[in-house]
Amino acid sequence: MKKKGFTVVELTVSFSLVSIIAIMLFNLIFSLKELYVSGDIKTSLLNKQAIMDKKIYDDLNTRDLRSITACGISCLTFEYTDGNAKLLIDVGANTITYDNYTMKLNKGTQIEQVSFDTYFYISTNIKNNAVFHLDIPIKTTLLDDDFGIHIVKTYNTEDVNINKQLDFNEATIIANGVTMPLTLIDQGEDWTIALDEDNNPNFLTQNTENKVIFAHIFHQEQGTYYDDYKSFLKSKDANKMSTLKSLEIFRNKKRVSEITSILKEVEDTEKVKNAIDEDFSNGYFELIIDYPSLNNAGAFKNYNRWMQTSNFTNNKKIEEGLFIDTMNSGDQTWQNGLRYVNSDENYVTGSNNNQLFAIGMKKDIANDTGYTIKNPDGTNATNVDIWVRVNEYIENYSLVTLVY
């Protein structure tokens, strides 16, 4: 009698062959998908790049250019005899706008370090004696290509005035469509991190030739309130708040190794040390919370300045993110870096009682107004402001030269 069926060896070989074929098919599918996605993204970016290049060059070649002047940190005004056009880089919105055309970048695509430079040369051609170079690199995580805007144009200095200088008092950053004014903090003096006598990490002052620049990102008046956390993050009403959602573009990368090494000195477990490395791996934010109405002293007379690794868009990370803080002025104790609390009165606070150093005030239903904003000494505040350090942002995305 003949026995029908498969031996163990035959089953094993068959299963192995099917598995190999399945893996090959999956790899092929994934490769085709990646090729399709990358090809689609590449086509989209190339189209946007071509449209923007053509629009700028068409104006430069057909219109009579008279000047290029600074209109913000990442903003230039091209003035022609028949009108003007603005070039604006909005890193928060991930857009580049020239005149009436806006280039919206794909997800996973970012603007890299930009520049705007002029060069003079001696030429037998009396028509032109200089050239300007506008460089806005654009990269995506899926491709190695540069899809940026790179404009090179010759001009005559007698006919065209190019002024890259921008008075600091008039300088602003536009992020997600919100205009943010700038201020200088402790000019000629910066902060470093060191351990104090109790082995706690604290700020120490140090002399510096660099300007320490902060941008205004949040403002809340006494009596105003937010209905939900989403509105707290996304409001574009400059009278209430300059959107906290834009905070990510101001993440600092410098001094990370210095900060983490000092933090790890006070920790004795590898788990915590690894957590510190992970938390700071993407950088940190340097923030100021300011109470101008305290003792009627004015702006930056009663404020705290601190570092934290979390932005405000992720509740969990705000609760768990690391912070390094200091009391810069006044005699009140700063208890925490800002944390998401979602208490009855507010969404974010820096104190254990959820009242002091609080922002994102909610509605007091009983009084039909916002819950009270408190000064650090417990008195009622007129308003509260948040500022974020923007030195690295300016280094990466400025098209102008700031004049102080």
Side-chain angles (χ1 to χ4, degrees):
M1 180 187 296
K2 292 184 178 180
K3 294 183 179 180
K4 296 182 179 180
F6 297 97
T7 66
V8 173
V9 174
E10 289 173 327
L11 285 172
T12 302
V13 171
S14 299
F15 180 76
S16 298
L17 288 172
V18 171
S19 298
I20 292 171
I21 293 171
I23 292 172
M24 291 175 65
L25 287 173
F26 275 120
N27 286 336
L28 178 61
I29 291 171
F30 286 132
S31 297
L32 289 173
K33 181 182 178 182
E34 185 175 338
L35 182 63
Y36 172 78
V37 171
S38 61
D40 185 54
I41 290 175
K42 185 172 184 176
T43 300
S44 174
L45 288 171
L46 285 172
N47 286 337
K48 293 176 181 179
Q49 180 190 41
I51 293 172
M52 180 64 79
D53 277 346
K54 184 178 185 304
K55 187 163 185 62
I56 296 176
Y57 271 123
D58 279 353
D59 277 358
L60 292 174
N61 292 329
T62 62
R63 302 172 70 182
D64 186 14
L65 181 66
R66 307 309 299 163
S67 67
I68 303 177
T69 55
C71 51
I73 293 296
S74 306
C75 181
L76 297 173
T77 298
F78 290 71
E79 184 179 348
Y80 303 94
T81 53
D82 59 349
N84 59 59
K86 281 190 177 182
L87 173 75
L88 173 65
I89 301 172
D90 186 335
V91 184
N94 216 17
T95 60
I96 302 169
T97 299
Y98 175 77
D99 199 12
N100 57 2
Y101 175 69
T102 296
M103 181 180 179
K104 176 67 177 177
L105 303 186
N106 305 57
K107 186 176 181 181
T109 305
Q110 63 279 332
I111 301 166
E112 300 202 333
Q113 187 165 9
V114 307
S115 63
F116 175 56
D117 299 299
T118 57
Y119 307 95
F120 304 98
Y121 60 89
I122 300 174
S123 173
T124 56
N125 182 356
I126 61 173
K127 183 178 180 181
N128 296 314
N129 63 351
V131 61
F132 71 80
H133 180 202
L134 175 65
D135 191 28
I136 310 174
I138 297 173
K139 296 293 183 69
T140 177
T141 54
L142 295 175
L143 300 164
D144 295 329
D145 308 63
D146 180 358
F147 300 94
I149 309 303
H150 307 284
I151 305 296
V152 179
K153 182 66 176 174
T154 58
Y155 68 99
N156 191 303
T157 54
E158 293 186 5
D159 300 326
V160 180
N161 176 42
I162 295 182
N163 183 9
K164 291 175 49 182
Q165 292 191 335
L166 179 65
D167 189 283
F168 181 81
N169 295 323
E170 299 176 359
T172 58
I173 290 173
I174 296 178
N176 277 338
V178 177
T179 301
M180 303 178 180
L182 307 180
T183 192
L184 291 172
I185 299 293
D186 301 324
Q187 188 170 335
E189 189 177 84
D190 202 356
W191 302 87
T192 186
I193 307 297
L195 299 178
D196 63 15
E197 295 178 354
D198 298 320
N199 211 36
N200 295 316
N202 282 328
F203 282 111
L204 290 178
T205 59
Q206 63 178 7
N207 294 327
T208 177
E209 295 180 358
N210 300 321
K211 311 293 183 184
V212 185
I213 306 172
F214 280 74
H216 187 239
I217 61 168
F218 176 86
H219 176 81
Q220 189 171 12
E221 294 283 341
Q222 188 71 269
T224 61
Y225 59 88
Y226 297 97
D227 293 319
D228 54 48
Y229 194 67
K230 186 177 180 180
S231 66
F232 167 69
L233 285 176
K234 294 186 176 180
S235 170
K236 291 186 178 180
D237 184 346
N239 294 321
K240 290 183 181 177
M241 176 178 74
S242 296
T243 174
L244 285 171
K245 189 172 173 57
S246 299
L247 192 64
E248 189 62 30
I249 64 174
F250 301 120
R251 188 179 286 274
N252 296 299
K253 299 293 181 69
K254 293 182 178 179
R255 297 192 292 183
V256 167
S257 59
E258 174 189 350
I259 295 168
T260 53
S261 63
I262 289 174
L263 286 176
K264 287 186 285 188
E265 280 188 42
V266 299
E267 302 294 348
D268 56 4
T269 66
E270 286 302 313
K271 183 178 180 181
V272 174
K273 290 180 179 180
N274 291 336
I276 291 172
D277 280 333
E278 182 179 354
D279 218 19
F280 275 93
S281 61
N282 293 321
Y284 60 92
F285 306 97
E286 191 168 337
L287 299 163
I288 282 176
I289 185 168
D290 187 32
Y291 294 90
S293 66
L294 180 58
N295 300 323
N296 296 315
F300 306 110
K301 301 300 181 183
N302 299 282
Y303 68 87
N304 280 96
R305 178 176 170 183
W306 78 100
M307 293 177 178
Q308 68 182 53
T309 58
S310 58
N311 61 23
F312 290 87
T313 58
N314 187 310
N315 303 358
K316 189 69 173 174
K317 286 190 176 181
I318 297 177
E319 291 179 279
E320 298 177 352
L322 293 175
F323 65 90
I324 306 173
D325 54 30
T326 182
M327 189 67 182
N328 181 265
S329 58
D331 57 2
Q332 301 300 313
T333 302
W334 171 262
Q335 299 179 43
N336 284 332
L338 289 180
R339 290 288 181 269
Y340 175 80
V341 292
N342 198 13
S343 70
D344 292 338
E345 298 184 3
N346 57 280
Y347 287 108
V348 176
T349 187
S351 64
N352 294 330
N353 60 17
N354 296 336
Q355 292 179 334
L356 300 181
F357 305 105
I359 62 175
M361 309 307 293
K362 297 182 179 180
K363 184 176 183 180
D364 182 348
I365 299 177
N367 297 315
D368 194 29
T369 185
Y371 272 103
T372 305
I373 302 173
K374 297 290 187 181
N375 282 315
D377 64 355
T379 59
N380 291 349
T382 301
N383 60 278
V384 61
D385 296 277
I386 303 289
W387 298 73
V388 62
R389 183 166 179 164
V390 296
N391 286 68
E392 286 186 43
Y393 175 94
I394 292 174
E395 288 174 14
N396 290 329
Y397 305 117
S398 179
L399 295 172
V400 305
T401 302
L402 289 174
V403 178
Y404 300 93

